[in-house]
Short mmCIF file of all heavy atoms in Angstrom, two decimals:
data_model
loop_
_atom_site.label_atom_id
_atom_site.label_comp_id
_atom_site.label_asym_id
_atom_site.label_seq_id
_atom_site.Cartn_x
_atom_site.Cartn_y
_atom_site.Cartn_z
N VAL A 281 6.22 -70.57 47.16
CA VAL A 281 7.29 -70.68 48.18
C VAL A 281 8.65 -70.25 47.49
O VAL A 281 9.47 -69.68 48.09
CB VAL A 281 7.37 -72.11 48.76
CG1 VAL A 281 8.60 -72.20 49.68
CG2 VAL A 281 6.13 -72.43 49.48
N VAL A 324 41.45 -68.36 49.30
CA VAL A 324 40.26 -68.24 50.20
C VAL A 324 39.09 -68.87 49.57
O VAL A 324 38.31 -69.58 50.19
CB VAL A 324 40.05 -66.73 50.61
CG1 VAL A 324 38.69 -66.58 51.21
CG2 VAL A 324 41.14 -66.16 51.45
N GLY A 364 -12.47 -54.72 43.73
CA GLY A 364 -13.47 -54.94 44.80
C GLY A 364 -13.27 -56.24 45.50
O GLY A 364 -14.23 -56.84 46.05
#
Side-chain angles (χ1 to χ4, degrees):
V281 176
V324 167

